[in-house]
Amino acid sequence: PRSRAMLRATVKLCCGIAHDHLRRLPGLKTTAVAAIQKDVRGLVLRGSRRLPPEIPRCIQRLMGKDTARCAEPKGDIGARRLSSTDLSYIHQGERALQRALGILQQPPSWQAEAVLDAGAAVSSAALPGLGRVFRVEAVLAVPVGRLHRELFEKLEQMPRWNPSLSRVEVLRRLGEDTLVTHEVTAANPVGRRDFVSVRHRGRTQAAVYLVGTATRVERLPAQEGCVRAETRLSCIALQPLAGDPGRTRVTWLLSVDLKASATRGRGHPGSPRTPALRLLSPPQGWIPASVTDRVLPRCQADFIRHLRRHLSATACP
């Protein structure tokens, strides 16, 4: 009968897909399962009485019905099932990318910031939900691929050439395009900070986008001597320069909440051990916006300067 022949052919296809090599082809398993389910539903609706009493085991494995008997290899990140926590990190990164693209595609009115660096132009704008966002623009004499590797794939090596960072650690790698990271800054005028972030990479024909946003990781308290700050949004857009693919236009959006001052503490007026700055600070010890608005543009310009120096000092891969 035609229905039995169709089901037998479908089962053969499933058995082939269940092979390890083919099972790892992205999207093939999902497409096959959808086709199987559609055919089986169609046979049931047409009243066929020749269907087997239970779904074959190879189909059960494809449909996730026999996960205990068909565990994925532990060493292959792409083959492992993502947990709900992993998926939440990926969704955070994707949402940050969409938010950044909205800002880049419909730019607000940016005001130039006074930064003494001829190699980078810094501007800022106040945006709903983000507060003040700073934007730095520069052209670097390397192709997009090299920059993208330095700023994403070699992220943990960044403190070697960027003195504003003391440590960068990748806590989780979720596929090829999403990371969970922990960064600790070096000492600076506003005190040391540490950040826990989701970093996500998006690629189009026109540009590569490297975005970041604050997240939470269990059992990772703020480091001693640091204050846990938050990156509301960071996006580095890398675009080949028109007519010169060996050079890259860099646009970096940054909005950061530096949180409380690392030097806050209790004291009373007249105490020789209480700094004057601490007495004048609000009870929570937060850093005034006027200070942040001076520090962040300077940090962005310094980052571009250090990156430019690093690229010129190291040979192209």
Side-chain angles (χ1 to χ4, degrees):
R2 183 177 180 182
S3 59
R4 176 173 291 183
M6 182 184 300
L7 185 60
R8 185 162 49 245
T10 304
V11 170
K12 288 181 180 179
L13 174 63
C14 291
C15 293
I17 295 172
H19 188 275
D20 264 357
H21 176 68
L22 293 177
R23 263 193 320 147
R24 298 187 186 193
L25 292 178
L28 181 56
K29 183 169 70 176
T30 303
T31 303
V33 170
I36 293 164
Q37 291 173 330
K38 181 178 179 181
D39 287 341
V40 171
R41 283 195 301 267
L43 291 172
V44 172
L45 290 174
R46 288 194 294 271
S48 173
R49 297 182 181 180
R50 299 181 180 274
L51 290 174
E54 62 179 13
I55 300 174
R57 189 167 298 281
C58 62
I59 300 181
Q60 290 182 22
R61 285 198 295 268
L62 287 172
M63 296 174 66
K65 303 289 186 181
D66 195 21
T67 54
R69 296 171 182 254
C70 189
E72 298 288 357
K74 292 184 178 180
D76 189 345
I77 293 177
R80 285 204 306 262
R81 291 181 180 275
L82 293 174
S83 68
S84 59
T85 302
D86 294 337
L87 290 174
S88 71
Y89 290 137
I90 294 173
H91 293 158
Q92 275 186 280
E94 291 173 344
R95 287 195 300 270
L97 176 59
Q98 293 306 313
R99 191 174 199 180
L101 289 176
I103 297 172
L104 291 169
Q105 292 168 1
Q106 298 179 354
S109 128
W110 297 93
Q111 298 179 350
E113 296 286 335
V115 176
L116 299 177
D117 190 332
V122 183
S123 55
S124 67
L127 301 181
L130 290 173
R132 187 154 294 277
V133 177
F134 295 90
R135 181 183 70 177
V136 63
E137 296 176 288
V139 174
L140 300 180
V142 292
V144 168
R146 170 116 191 260
L147 268 178
H148 147 233
R149 287 191 293 274
E150 292 288 348
L151 300 179
F152 192 83
E153 296 176 3
K154 298 182 179 181
L155 195 65
E156 291 179 306
Q157 301 178 23
M158 196 176 289
R160 298 180 183 178
W161 52 265
N162 183 3
S164 66
L165 291 171
S166 65
R167 187 172 75 255
V168 176
E169 180 184 2
V170 175
L171 304 177
R172 289 176 184 250
R173 294 183 183 272
L174 308 173
E176 295 183 352
D177 297 320
T178 306
L179 309 173
V180 179
T181 64
H182 181 219
E183 308 102 53
V184 181
T185 69
N188 60 70
V190 297
R192 298 181 67 204
R193 298 291 188 274
D194 78 326
F195 299 81
V196 179
S197 308
V198 168
R199 294 175 178 266
H200 184 73
R201 171 173 57 188
R203 287 174 278 197
T204 67
Q205 292 183 346
V208 174
Y209 302 94
L210 308 177
V211 298
T213 188
T215 192
R216 295 182 182 276
V217 173
E218 293 182 3
R219 297 183 296 276
L220 185 63
Q223 303 298 292
E224 184 177 357
C226 292
V227 171
R228 176 65 48 82
E230 292 185 355
T231 301
R232 297 190 189 101
L233 179 66
S234 173
C235 176
I236 300 178
L238 307 175
Q239 297 174 290
L241 200 63
D244 188 355
R247 304 174 73 195
T248 302
R249 180 178 301 280
V250 179
T251 304
W252 180 17
L253 304 177
L254 181 64
S255 175
V256 174
D257 183 356
L258 291 177
K259 298 295 182 179
S261 169
T263 60
R264 75 177 187 181
R266 294 183 178 180
H268 60 274
S271 170
R273 295 186 179 182
T274 303
L277 179 59
R278 189 177 301 169
L279 292 174
L280 296 175
S281 299
Q284 291 77 22
W286 53 267
I287 300 173
S290 58
V291 175
T292 301
D293 291 351
R294 290 197 303 269
V295 169
L296 291 180
R298 180 72 264 171
C299 289
Q300 285 183 287
D302 287 346
F303 175 85
I304 295 296
R305 179 164 51 85
H306 295 313
L307 177 58
R308 196 190 301 274
R309 183 179 302 167
H310 167 68
L311 295 171
S312 62
T314 54
C316 291

